[in-house]
Amino acid sequence: MVRGNRVAGIPLLCALVAASCAPKVAESGAAEKGPMSPVSAAKQVESGATDATARVAAMVAAHNTRVSRLATVESRGSLELRYSDADGEHFDQCEFDVFLAEGGRGALRATKVGNNFLWIGGDGTRGWVFRLGVEPTVLKVYDKVAEHELGQGPDGAGEFALLTPGTVRAVAGMQPVPAAYTLVPVEGADPAAAIEARTEIAYAFGSAKVFVRFGADGLPASVRVVDAQGADAVAATLAEYVPAQAANLAQGAWPKVPRRIEITASRANGRATLLLDEPIAMAKRMKPRFFNLEELTAQFRPDRVEHAVAIEADAADGSK
């Protein structure tokens, strides 16, 4: 054991052609086709917009089917982590294991040169970070996990919160898109480009909003989370999708998972690049104790324990 986001507005561009003369007749005697009437042009554009919306809806449906097969995910991999804390700026490279389970449970354990470095996890209610590569070793417990605070610890510190289970699922394209999503245009995108290249899916996630842009293959290519004030909180690019072996599914139905995930958490001033080795959509090495704070605390025996209470989250959800 190792220590450690319907088109709010798809642009309807109508070419309104005004003609002041009768249709010309070619030398052969055949009448040339006259300019399209404004009404016909508008109908054609409307039909194109409908087709584009249907294409996006199909992508969302396929995405949600894929996500439903990723209730359990585990993988080994390598991690590059850049962050800042009270001691300055840091860059770490390490090996890791990630375990994602149902109910918001998850764990990420990292080692450097065979030594324990980090253990980040949560049980769906609480979240925690064991910093095992420092002296003294520290356990930081987030007594209430607030999903609408993706990418930032509830106390505003959270230099490693971009790696918590909820954040990883959201930014890795493993979160279902709700029925109440909208389509928003991508600023500066080519209007002639495919719908997935000029629009993003947007949906509410607590007090935050998630924006997802699909690639030509119908898989999420980028995800970003914007907070209630409109500021960027977390962003990620996803690439190199591979099928993840899943129990009770034929190989052709295995859900795809991005092998390369690059995450940036602006407020936490952190960046992480995860390279998954061979992700699988089932539990082989996962154990219940990976998501049990008490058992982990007894195993790692941290020198210091800190607690962060999500006061802002209480106010946002009206429970205070």
Side-chain angles (χ1 to χ4, degrees):
M1 184 70 176
V2 187
R3 294 183 54 191
N5 133 20
R6 126 191 2 149
V7 170
I10 295 179
L12 301 179
L13 305 178
C14 301
L16 304 179
V17 181
S20 58
C21 57
K24 296 181 181 179
V25 179
E27 291 182 3
S28 63
E32 291 183 348
K33 187 176 181 180
M36 184 182 295
S37 71
V39 173
S40 297
K43 286 183 177 180
Q44 187 178 73
V45 174
E46 182 179 357
S47 175
T50 300
D51 291 345
T53 302
R55 174 174 167 79
V56 171
M59 287 184 175
V60 170
H63 166 80
N64 286 346
T65 297
R66 179 182 67 88
V67 169
S68 70
R69 298 171 180 172
L70 293 171
T72 300
V73 177
E74 65 176 55
S75 181
R76 289 188 169 95
S78 59
L79 168 68
E80 292 183 357
L81 182 63
R82 300 176 186 271
Y83 61 97
S84 298
D85 60 15
D87 297 323
E89 297 184 354
H90 305 272
F91 172 70
D92 289 302
Q93 289 180 306
C94 52
E95 302 301 310
F96 76 89
D97 292 271
V98 62
F99 304 94
L100 300 176
E102 294 180 289
R105 297 175 300 149
L108 184 147
R109 61 183 180 185
T111 62
K112 290 181 65 177
V113 198
N115 297 318
N116 299 326
F117 174 59
L118 279 175
W119 183 293
I120 306 174
D123 58 12
T125 300
R126 298 174 296 176
W128 48 81
V129 177
F130 288 88
R131 296 188 63 179
L132 305 170
V134 298
E135 291 293 341
T137 57
V138 180
L139 163 60
K140 189 162 190 175
V141 181
Y142 298 95
D143 293 308
K144 180 176 179 180
V145 174
E147 289 186 326
H148 59 279
E149 290 293 334
L150 285 171
Q152 179 179 355
D155 62 346
E159 54 270 12
F160 300 109
L162 72 168
L163 294 176
T164 57
T167 301
V168 170
R169 272 201 181 275
V171 300
M174 298 182 194
Q175 186 180 78
V177 174
Y181 71 85
T182 59
L183 290 181
V184 295
V186 174
E187 185 177 354
D190 182 356
I195 185 68
E196 62 270 15
R198 54 187 169 88
T199 58
E200 293 178 310
I201 297 290
Y203 61 91
F205 191 70
S207 64
K209 183 168 283 190
V210 180
F211 296 82
V212 181
R213 192 181 306 184
F214 288 93
D217 56 4
L219 295 166
S222 66
V223 180
R224 61 190 180 95
V225 180
V226 175
D227 66 17
Q229 288 71 47
D232 289 337
V234 188
T237 57
L238 315 175
E240 302 176 19
Y241 277 85
V242 295
Q245 182 181 358
N248 304 317
L249 284 178
Q251 186 172 351
W254 290 354
K256 291 188 175 182
V257 173
R259 286 193 63 247
R260 185 180 186 90
I261 306 169
E262 298 187 15
I263 310 173
T264 301
S266 302
R267 294 182 302 185
N269 196 22
R271 179 187 297 272
T273 299
L274 290 80
L275 299 172
L276 307 184
D277 287 343
E278 295 183 4
I280 60 174
M282 55 185 177
K284 279 192 173 181
R285 298 176 294 119
M286 191 180 302
K287 295 178 172 53
R289 60 186 173 84
F290 291 178
F291 319 119
N292 187 304
L293 178 58
E294 287 68 33
E295 289 193 35
L296 292 171
T297 302
Q299 175 186 346
F300 297 135
R301 306 171 71 90
D303 299 318
R304 188 171 77 244
V305 179
E306 301 174 357
H307 287 262
V309 181
I311 298 175
E312 293 181 5
D314 293 337
D317 64 21
S319 61
K320 185 178 180 181

